[in-house]
Amino acid sequence: MARRPIRPIRPIRLRGLRVDYPRRGRSNWRRWVPSWRQVLSVILLGSGALAGLFAGVYASVDIPDENAEARRQGTVYYWADGSQMVSVGAVDRQNVTLADIPDSVEHAVIAAENETFYSDPGVSAKGIARAAVSMVKGGETQGGSTITQQYVKNTYLSQEQSATRKFKEFFISLKLSNKQSKKEILQGYLNTSWFGRGAYGIQAAAHAYYGIPAKDLDPSQAALLASLLKGAEQYDPAGGKGNHERAVARWKWILDRQVEIGAMTKAERAAYQKFPEPRPAAKPTSLGGQTGYLVDIANKYIKKRSGLTDKDLFRGGYRVHTTFDKARVGQLERAVRSVRKRDLDPEKRPEDKYVEVGAASVRSDGAVVAVYGGADAVTHFANNADTAGVPVGSAFKPFVLAAALQHGDGITLDSGYDSEGRLIKDGPYAAPPAPPGAGPGQVMVTAPTTLRDALVKSSNATFALLGKGIGLKKVKELTVSAGLHEESLARLDKSFPLGTSTPSAVRMADAYTAFSNDGMRADPYSVTRMTRDGEAVEGFGKPEPRRAMDASVANDVNDTLGMVAWTRLSRDGKFAAFARPKAADDLSAGATGEDDRMKSAWFIGHSKGLTTAVTMFRSKPGTPQLLGMQGVGGPDSGRGNVFPLRIWSAYAMGT
C-alpha cells in the first residue's frame, strides 16, 4: 500500500496577515526558531494586551466606601443562658492631623514599615506576588505591603487573607495614590492602624501605652509604638517575656534603621539607649470584676479555634455565645470573698499579704462553667484561673497512681512498698501462710502502706518510688492524655511525681474530669457558637471526648479520691461536724498536703457533675518568684492548704 504524501506545514495566517512561521528558506530546526522581529512583535503584542487588561481592571475597580460600620459595632458576649454578659469594642480611636503628630513618629513608622513611602506608586508588586504565591501554596500570608496598601486594608477592605482581597488591595491602592497625597494617606494610616490594647490610631495608642497625647511622644516612645505595627500580640512588652524580648529587639532595629535611611543622626540615636517601658495594660471598666477574666478565656479559645486575632475582635460585630453560667460565677466569687474575709487578715498578719486565688469549674464534657481569675480584672490583670506558673504539688499524685494502674503489670490499689522500698503487688496486708512446723520469726509479715492509703495520706516517699518504678515518661504520657499542656510539665526528675509541674486551674479541673467520667475527657471549651452579621464563624464544634485511661483505672482512682475528699473535710475544724449528704455520693477530690514544700495550695473536687480546681499562692508585684505559704492564715492552716478546701466547699457544697 502506497504511503500518502506528507503535506507541507502552511505558514500561519492572522486575518489576511501572513506570518512567516515556520520560516521559509530555512531548513531543519532553523525553520522553528523565530526571528528577532517575530520575538519583538510577540513581546509588543503581549505587552499591549496586558496593558489593555490592566487599564480595563483599573477602570473597573472603584474605591469603596470606608468600612466604618465594622469599626463602630461592639462584640457582644453572652452567658450560657443566652442573656448578655458584656459588649466590648466601642473602638478606642481619636483622629488627629499630621500637625499633631511629631516628625519622630512619622520617621519611625516609615523606617519600620515602608522606607520608600514617599517615592513608591503606593503598591509593592513584589510583595503582592509573594503573598499570592504563598496563599496559593497554602502557606501563611506574607508581608511586604506598603503603607498605602495597609491603609486600604484597614479602611476599605475586610481582614480576610485571600488572593482576591490582595488583588483588590493592589488596584485600590494605585487609585488612592493618584487621588490622595502622601501626607493624607499617612495621616489616614496612623489614625486607623491597630496598636493593641484596644487602641486604633496613634493618639489612642499614645494614651494606652504612655498616658500622653501623640504630640508628646519622644523618638524612643515612637519607635516602640512603630514596632507594634508588626503585630501587637507579639510585640506588646506587657505580653510576657517573649513579647518583651521581641519588642526590645525591634525597638532597637527601628532606631538604627532611621540612622541608616538618614531620618536620624548617630548623635540623636545615641540619646536613646534605655528601653521606654510602657505603663501596664488597663482594661475598660466594663470588663471589671470577673467579666474581664471570662472574656480573656473566651478570646483565647476563639483565637485558637478560628484564627481570629485581637485586632479582629476589637473591630467588633461578633456575637459570642459562651459556656459560662452566671449563677455559678457569682457563687464562686462569693465563696472566695467569704473565706478571705473570714480567715485572712493582712493588716494583722504579714503572711496574709499578697495572697492570690484562682479557680475554675469544668463540666464532664469540657465546658468551662465558672472561673475566678482574681479580685478584679481592671486592677489585677493576670488571670489566676488560666495562668501556668503555680506548682500543683500533691494534687498531681492521682495521675501517678493512674499511670501505675494503667501500665504496671499486676499493680492494684492494694499494692504497696515494704520498708526496704520493694513493691509488693499482690496486697501488702495479705501475709503469706506459715509453713508447717515453722517457729516464731520464720515468717516475714509485712505491713507497708497501700497505694490507696498513700494517696489518702499524700505520701511523698511512696509516690517518688512509684513514679520511678513505673517510669516518669509513662506518667508524663498519661497526664498529657488527660489534658495537661506538655509545656506546663516539669522536667522528669525525682521530684516530678510530687507535683513540680505548673498547669492552670482550668487544665487541672478538666484533667480531673477523666477520673469521674470512666477515663474519658474532652478539651476544655468556653464558646459554643459565634456569628458575625448573622453568619456563623466556623471552628466551634463541641470538642470530641477522648480516652485518657482505662475505665477501670479511672474508677479505682476516683473511688480513692472520694476517700481523700471526706478525709480532708472531716479533718478541717471548720467542717468537723460536716454530715455526708446523699446528694454528694459522687464526691471526690485531690489536694496538696501539709508535707508539700511547694509555694502554693490546691484542692480539686468533683461534686454534682462539676469538677472544680482551686489554687492559692502568694505573688508580690515586681517579684518574679512566688512567696512562701508558711504562716498564711495562722499556724493551723497547714501551709495554707485548708483554704482551697474551704473555698471549694463553700462553692460546691454550699457550706
Side-chain angles (χ1 to χ4, degrees):
M1 183 175 178
R3 291 185 179 179
R4 296 177 62 183
I6 299 175
R7 287 186 174 183
I9 299 175
R10 296 179 178 275
I12 299 173
R13 290 180 179 272
L14 296 176
R15 292 189 178 182
L17 176 66
R18 182 185 179 92
V19 178
D20 185 21
Y21 192 82
R23 298 168 66 192
R24 292 177 300 171
R26 299 291 189 274
S27 60
N28 300 327
W29 58 270
R30 293 181 178 84
R31 297 184 64 203
W32 302 97
V33 178
S35 68
W36 67 268
R37 292 186 180 85
Q38 290 172 335
V39 172
L40 181 60
S41 297
V42 170
I43 292 174
L44 291 174
L45 285 171
S47 299
L50 287 175
L53 177 63
F54 185 91
V57 174
Y58 182 86
S60 65
V61 174
D62 294 323
I63 299 176
D65 294 332
E66 292 188 10
N67 53 10
E69 183 64 22
R71 295 199 297 267
R72 285 198 298 268
Q73 293 180 343
T75 289
V76 183
Y77 297 80
Y78 298 91
W79 295 102
D81 64 3
S83 60
Q84 182 171 321
M85 176 169 47
V86 67
S87 178
V88 180
V91 174
D92 180 10
R93 189 182 74 250
Q94 303 164 40
N95 289 344
V96 290
T97 65
L98 281 182
D100 294 319
I101 300 174
D103 290 343
S104 59
V105 171
E106 179 179 337
H107 295 158
V109 168
I110 290 175
E113 295 296 308
N114 183 190
E115 65 182 72
T116 61
F117 171 69
Y118 280 109
S119 60
D120 65 37
V123 296
S124 169
K126 185 183 295 184
I128 288 285
R130 185 168 61 246
V133 170
S134 177
M135 285 184 286
V136 167
K137 290 182 177 180
E140 294 184 359
T141 303
Q142 301 292 311
S145 295
T146 64
I147 283 177
T148 305
Q149 288 174 257
Q150 292 180 56
Y151 173 52
V152 166
K153 182 177 68 173
N154 291 343
T155 310
Y156 302 104
L157 299 173
S158 69
Q159 298 299 302
E160 67 170 329
Q161 303 292 352
S162 68
T164 300
R165 203 269 294 153
K166 278 287 187 183
F167 184 80
K168 291 181 179 178
E169 175 190 299
F170 183 88
F171 283 97
I172 294 173
S173 298
L174 280 176
K175 275 200 166 182
L176 195 69
S177 291
N178 292 327
K179 182 179 179 181
Q180 294 185 6
S181 69
K182 289 289 188 178
K183 290 291 186 181
E184 289 174 319
I185 291 172
L186 181 62
Q187 178 176 294
Y189 174 71
L190 290 174
N191 281 321
T192 58
S193 291
W194 167 253
F195 289 87
R197 300 194 182 185
Y200 276 96
I202 190 66
Q203 182 78 343
H207 281 288
Y209 287 86
Y210 293 108
I212 59 176
K215 65 182 180 63
D216 293 336
L217 290 168
D218 64 34
S220 182
Q221 295 167 332
L224 182 276
L225 294 184
S227 72
L228 298 169
L229 294 169
K230 189 173 178 65
E233 291 175 322
Q234 287 76 42
Y235 289 88
D236 182 345
K241 182 179 179 181
N243 272 34
H244 196 277
E245 291 175 351
R246 283 188 291 270
V248 171
R250 188 155 178 83
W251 165 77
K252 289 180 178 178
W253 179 83
I254 290 173
L255 288 172
D256 292 340
R257 189 64 182 154
Q258 290 180 71
V259 175
E260 292 177 18
I261 66 175
M264 179 183 286
T265 66
K266 290 184 178 180
E268 290 171 332
R269 168 65 181 92
Y272 303 107
Q273 299 297 324
K274 184 179 179 181
F275 183 68
E277 294 287 354
R279 65 182 188 175
K283 285 186 170 62
T285 55
S286 62
L287 295 178
Q290 297 306 304
T291 304
Y293 303 123
L294 297 171
V295 169
D296 174 66
I297 287 177
N299 284 352
K300 286 180 181 177
Y301 186 74
I302 289 168
K303 289 183 283 187
K304 177 182 178 182
R305 295 300 292 264
S306 70
L308 295 173
T309 65
D310 282 334
K311 177 180 179 180
D312 299 324
L313 293 172
F314 270 102
R315 278 187 175 273
Y318 294 97
R319 301 293 180 263
V320 181
H321 297 264
T322 74
T323 59
F324 305 130
D325 184 310
K326 185 176 183 179
R328 285 285 185 182
V329 171
Q331 290 170 11
L332 185 54
E333 184 174 26
R334 288 191 295 273
V336 175
R337 288 182 176 179
S338 65
V339 171
R340 290 186 68 117
K341 183 177 180 181
R342 183 186 64 202
D343 297 334
L344 300 181
D345 191 347
E347 296 297 326
K348 294 182 180 179
R349 238 183 338 254
E351 295 85 357
D352 291 359
K353 291 182 177 180
Y354 310 117
V355 171
E356 294 290 341
V357 174
S361 197
V362 178
R363 210 165 55 207
S364 60
D365 66 347
V368 182
V369 173
V371 300
Y372 178 86
D376 190 327
V378 171
T379 56
H380 177 75
F381 308 119
N383 189 340
N384 296 342
D386 198 33
T387 299
V390 181
V392 73
S394 292
F396 188 79
K397 290 174 182 174
F399 301 114
V400 184
L401 177 58
L405 297 176
Q406 182 80 30
H407 301 291
D409 183 22
I411 293 179
T412 70
L413 291 174
D414 291 321
S415 300
Y417 290 88
D418 65 19
S419 58
E420 296 183 10
R422 293 174 298 194
L423 178 66
I424 302 174
K425 294 182 179 180
D426 57 354
Y429 293 123
Q442 289 182 274
V443 179
M444 182 178 183
V445 180
T446 60
T449 301
T450 65
L451 297 184
R452 179 189 291 106
D453 289 343
L455 184 62
V456 173
K457 297 175 182 178
S458 191
S459 170
N460 284 346
T462 296
F463 279 90
L465 288 170
L466 189 61
K468 180 180 179 182
I470 201 65
L472 299 181
K473 287 186 178 180
K474 293 291 186 183
V475 176
K476 178 181 178 180
E477 288 170 1
L478 186 135
T479 58
V480 172
S481 295
L484 299 190
H485 284 311
E486 188 168 352
E487 57 267 26
S488 72
L489 299 179
R491 64 180 182 178
L492 302 184
D493 58 20
K494 63 181 180 180
S495 65
F496 179 71
L498 308 183
T500 49
S501 298
T502 58
S504 68
V506 170
R507 282 285 163 176
M508 280 299 289
D510 180 70
Y512 261 62
T513 64
F515 298 132
S516 57
N517 199 34
D518 295 327
M520 301 295 290
R521 48 83 52 183
D523 285 336
Y525 68 100
S526 54
V527 176
T528 58
R529 185 164 57 93
M530 185 173 178
T531 63
R532 193 173 195 279
D533 297 329
E535 297 291 328
V537 178
E538 296 183 358
F540 295 99
K542 192 174 180 180
E544 291 293 328
R546 298 192 299 272
R547 181 160 296 284
M549 63 195 77
D550 291 345
S552 59
V553 170
N555 293 333
D556 281 349
V557 175
N558 198 55
D559 289 345
T560 308
L561 290 176
M563 299 172 63
V564 173
W566 292 109
T567 299
R568 294 302 174 92
L569 282 169
S570 61
R571 185 183 300 167
D572 183 11
K574 295 282 184 181
F575 304 102
F578 189 86
R580 177 170 180 155
K582 292 182 179 179
D585 284 341
D586 66 341
L587 184 65
S588 62
T592 47
E594 294 183 20
D595 291 338
D596 282 359
R597 290 297 179 262
M598 309 297 177
K599 295 181 179 181
S600 57
W602 286 78
F603 189 88
I604 300 99
H606 172 83
S607 180
K608 303 175 184 177
L610 288 179
T611 303
T612 305
V614 182
T615 181
M616 178 181 282
F617 55 94
R618 297 178 67 216
S619 177
K620 183 178 180 180
T623 302
Q625 302 297 326
L626 298 181
L627 304 179
M629 291 287 289
Q630 187 68 40
V632 173
D636 299 326
S637 71
R639 301 178 65 87
N641 282 293
V642 298
F643 300 124
L645 163 65
R646 291 176 184 175
I647 291 169
W648 178 86
S649 180
Y651 164 67
M653 307 298 292
T655 60

